[in-house]
Amino acid sequence: MGEHSRIDSHKMMFHSAWVSRWKEAVNDWEKAKLVYPLYVEISPAGGCNHRCTFCALDFVGYKPTLLPKSNLNETLMDMATGGVRGIMYGGEGEPTLHPKLADIIKYTKSLGIDVALTTNGSCMNKRFLENSLGSITWIKASIDAGKKETYLEIHRPNNPHDWKRIFEYLEIAVALKRKYNYMCRIGAQLLLLPEAKAKDGRTIPGNIGEAVILAKLLKDIGVDYFVVKPYSHQPLSLTKSYRDIVNQEYLFLEKELRKISSKSFEIVFRTNAMDKYTKTRDYDLCLATPFAWAYIMADGSVYSCSVYLLDERFYLGNINEQSFKEIWEGANRKRQWEFMKQYNPVNCRSNCRMDEVNRYLWEIIHPPYNVNFI
């Protein structure tokens, strides 16, 4: 499963020109500052209308901040000029709470940058979809339950009607895609969570037994894909309820879900991500930072890694104070470029977003002794 999307792997082999420039820039700052990220995650809104029990970025505080559209447009232009290929709107808040998000998405796409959207789906209404769906490469709605009661306990939305709204909005998205022949792949995600205890002693229900239920609901709606992924603890997160999950216990679900998948409904069961919890990293440096990606918070702060938001070591600047070009080619990034040459990610988040990329880049600069015997 996942052969079409490579969600459980990486796509660096499709960016060989970038890899070649990166390889030359690893030890040369004048070249390094001109190697722009292939991918950027942007948080348009800091606030959120859900308080998910698994939230990895709860430590940021859900501040009701919105990225100014004008500053962001200038940033996007810098990114397009520098060679950024894809932007995911998601982040520490719910992106669709930004009133100008549809316009931002259309402008991003007009610059030649592919757009993705990760959302809780509750504010993804018809008007928003009509104005943005044609400019989006993929949408992934975080649902995380197959039953309303479980959903309300895990997502803790401000409005209990969000459970119904999400499926209604997904139906609208599917209908618009079919009507206008949009290329956008519409999907949803379930993060595997066992029953757990909250800090107040309350029992949080698990969703393991609801993965198949949710898959069937999504297939009936007509979405393109469904991702089932393991929980990965964020070291800075205030959430501790799921810290000691043994994800390998849930591998049996893949066989059950495979029965539901079809040519028009892809199920991505992230076996590779689960298997890696029992393995050690085979790289000693994070080679993707500060090169392959960047993260922009709703307050405009730019970080080279989403795991270390609010950590000064990974802070590069703020797009409300400088252009992205000045930030990416400036003193803070040079400082971090030098810092990362000595930084061992041994204590970083398991299965971090750049793990597969790092494994690939590490092998590029540490080829096997018999590399020429193809």
Side-chain angles (χ1 to χ4, degrees), residues 139-362:
I139 289 174
K140 184 168 61 182
S142 176
I143 302 179
D144 306 297
K147 299 177 181 178
K148 178 180 178 179
E149 296 75 16
T150 308
Y151 172 83
L152 295 178
E153 289 284 348
I154 291 176
H155 266 253
R156 297 187 293 177
N158 292 346
N159 191 327
H161 295 300
D162 283 358
W163 167 256
K164 182 180 178 181
R165 285 176 180 168
I166 291 173
F167 295 104
E168 290 176 349
Y169 295 156
L170 286 174
E171 288 177 346
I172 292 171
V174 169
L176 287 170
K177 174 180 176 174
R178 291 172 177 172
K179 180 178 180 179
Y180 296 106
N181 198 29
Y182 289 145
M183 298 303 293
C184 178
R185 283 178 59 79
I186 301 163
Q189 175 174 283
L190 180 139
L191 185 67
L192 289 169
L193 301 171
E195 184 178 285
K197 288 288 185 182
K199 285 191 289 187
D200 59 5
R202 161 179 77 83
T203 298
I204 307 170
N207 63 12
I208 308 302
E210 298 182 18
V212 172
I213 297 171
L214 180 55
K216 290 178 179 178
L217 289 173
L218 294 168
K219 186 175 183 179
D220 288 343
I221 289 173
V223 305
D224 299 299
Y225 69 96
F226 175 45
V227 178
V228 179
K229 65 180 287 187
Y231 173 82
S232 174
H233 185 66
Q234 152 67 286
L236 301 179
S237 176
L238 303 178
T239 299
K240 310 297 182 186
S241 301
Y242 308 105
R243 183 171 47 186
D244 301 319
I245 289 178
V246 180
N247 286 290
Q248 289 74 18
E249 294 178 358
Y250 313 127
L251 290 172
F252 71 92
L253 282 170
E254 180 176 12
K255 186 176 180 180
E256 294 183 40
L257 289 165
R258 190 181 294 275
K259 299 173 185 176
I260 304 169
S261 66
S262 66
K263 288 184 178 180
S264 60
F265 181 60
E266 178 188 16
I267 292 182
V268 184
F269 190 86
R270 298 196 58 182
T271 308
N272 183 40
M274 294 185 189
D275 284 344
K276 282 191 295 186
Y277 278 91
T278 61
K279 300 176 183 177
T280 57
R281 286 188 170 97
D282 56 3
Y283 52 89
D284 297 329
L285 297 172
C286 179
L287 300 170
T289 304
F291 285 104
W293 77 316
Y295 184 105
I296 301 180
M297 296 181 67
D299 68 359
S301 297
V302 181
Y303 286 85
S304 60
C305 177
S306 68
V307 173
Y308 294 105
L309 301 184
L310 309 185
D311 187 326
E312 287 294 321
R313 296 175 301 169
F314 295 84
Y315 174 75
L316 302 181
N318 192 299
I319 63 169
N320 295 321
E321 300 167 2
Q322 296 175 281
S323 70
F324 187 79
K325 176 181 170 63
E326 291 171 331
I327 292 170
W328 196 253
E329 299 179 20
N332 273 351
R333 181 165 171 258
K334 182 179 181 181
R335 171 191 53 77
Q336 210 216 13
W337 172 76
E338 292 170 342
F339 166 71
M340 293 305 294
K341 292 178 183 178
Q342 310 298 324
Y343 180 76
N344 190 322
V346 63
N347 293 318
C348 284
R349 185 179 190 175
S350 298
N351 269 330
C352 84
R353 195 165 295 171
M354 290 295 116
D355 179 68
E356 284 291 324
V357 173
N358 272 320
R359 291 174 189 272
Y360 177 78
L361 295 178
W362 184 262

